[in-house]
Amino acid sequence: AQSVTQPDIHITVSEGASLELRCNYSYGATPYLFWYVQSPGQGLQLLLKYFSGDTLVQGIKGFEAEFKRSQSSFNLRKPSVHWSDAAEYFCAVGGNNNNDMRFGAGTRLTVKP
Amino acid sequence: EAQVTQNPRYLITVTGKKLTVTCSQNMNHEYMSWYRQDPGLGLRQIYYSMNVEVTDKGDVPEGYKVSRKEKRNFPLILESPSPNQTSLYFCASRGAGRAHTQYFGPGTRLTVL
């Protein structure tokens, strides 16, 4: 079964600084990969997803992620963080079965003024 | 507006008192699922449904029941809640294909005393 690791439980960045959130997955074939964001008291919102094709994926709110098969990674990036980006971020991997989406434990992002 | 709704949003109950958390979606989605979110564990799937009258277990189904009598509704039933079911619960839905975006409800915070 596939799995997802988000190595960083909590990250703090200054507003305006760049951001990279790490995600590593384990899956035998080409996975479906997702990044979700969860603001306090809210449900999960999809930021971006990768299924095939261009390995650099653009999402909403200025986020992007790059699929690197050789490293089994799908890191999320943003060039300049805004205070409103403070939230929890989840990476998820899905495969060929309908019930096999797996989520990472999440990375909580704090943005310093 | 396309959305997934859950009720109640907050619930405090006692051990053994049966409860139901409702979930409804207005997007005519075939696939619906329930997750629980616990600190450090991310989201784990409880049950999912591919369509009306078709349900199956996810990773953590013990202590839960579901039903899918109508396409739009997918209630989660706890027949005899226990304190280890204290958690944040999310309902989600998507179209039939795995490439479809999964939409999440706002969450239900359940406390079992």
Side-chain angles (χ1 to χ4, degrees):
Chain A
Q2 59 269 38
S3 64
V4 179
T5 301
Q6 293 180 247
D8 304 303
I9 297 172
H10 184 204
I11 283 182
T12 299
V13 300
S14 298
E15 190 167 18
S18 63
L19 172 70
E20 182 168 28
L21 301 182
R22 296 184 290 165
C23 172
N24 293 99
Y25 69 89
S26 172
Y27 188 69
T30 300
Y32 300 101
L33 293 161
F34 309 82
W35 273 101
Y36 286 87
V37 61
Q38 183 182 27
S39 298
Q42 303 295 314
L44 278 73
Q45 180 184 22
L46 181 70
L47 285 175
L48 46 80
K49 58 186 178 183
Y50 171 79
F51 292 143
S52 64
D54 192 345
T55 57
L56 184 62
V57 181
Q58 301 298 320
I60 62 171
K61 305 185 180 189
F63 285 92
E64 67 177 26
E66 186 171 13
F67 170 57
K68 293 186 178 180
R69 184 189 302 275
S70 62
Q71 298 177 19
S72 297
S73 69
F74 188 57
N75 295 348
L76 182 71
R77 300 193 294 250
K78 187 169 184 178
S80 178
V81 169
H82 187 262
W83 64 267
S84 60
D85 293 324
E88 188 145 23
Y89 292 80
F90 292 93
C91 181
V93 59
N96 292 324
N97 297 319
N98 285 299
N99 67 327
D100 62 1
M101 178 172 275
R102 295 292 185 276
F103 285 81
T107 297
R108 185 161 61 92
L109 174 66
T110 298
V111 180
K112 292 191 304 185
Chain B
E1 179 190 356
Q3 59 182 350
V4 179
T5 57
Q6 296 178 227
N7 282 292
R9 294 288 312 277
Y10 302 91
L11 179 60
I12 301 174
T13 189
V14 295
T15 299
K17 186 176 181 181
K18 180 180 179 180
L19 66 92
T20 299
V21 184
T22 64
C23 173
S24 182
Q25 51 94 2
N26 63 0
M27 295 168 277
N28 201 36
H29 284 164
E30 289 81 6
Y31 182 93
M32 297 185 74
S33 61
W34 276 102
Y35 296 86
R36 61 178 290 173
Q37 181 183 6
D38 301 290
L41 297 177
L43 278 77
R44 294 177 293 167
Q45 192 178 54
I46 302 170
Y47 269 95
Y48 69 98
S49 169
M50 292 304 301
N51 215 322
V52 175
E53 303 291 2
V54 181
T55 64
D56 207 347
K57 297 177 181 178
D59 291 330
V60 288
E62 294 76 21
Y64 304 95
K65 285 175 57 178
V66 294
S67 69
R68 187 92 181 271
K69 293 181 168 43
E70 304 166 281
K71 196 172 186 179
R72 63 182 292 125
N73 296 323
F74 190 45
L76 179 70
I77 303 155
L78 284 72
E79 295 270 2
S80 183
S82 63
N84 65 12
Q85 292 178 298
T86 293
S87 188
L88 180 58
Y89 292 86
F90 288 101
C91 180
S93 74
R94 63 164 170 79
R98 289 182 295 278
H100 288 263
T101 296
Q102 190 158 213
Y103 293 87
F104 285 82
T108 295
R109 185 164 293 283
L110 172 64
T111 300
V112 183
L113 302 174

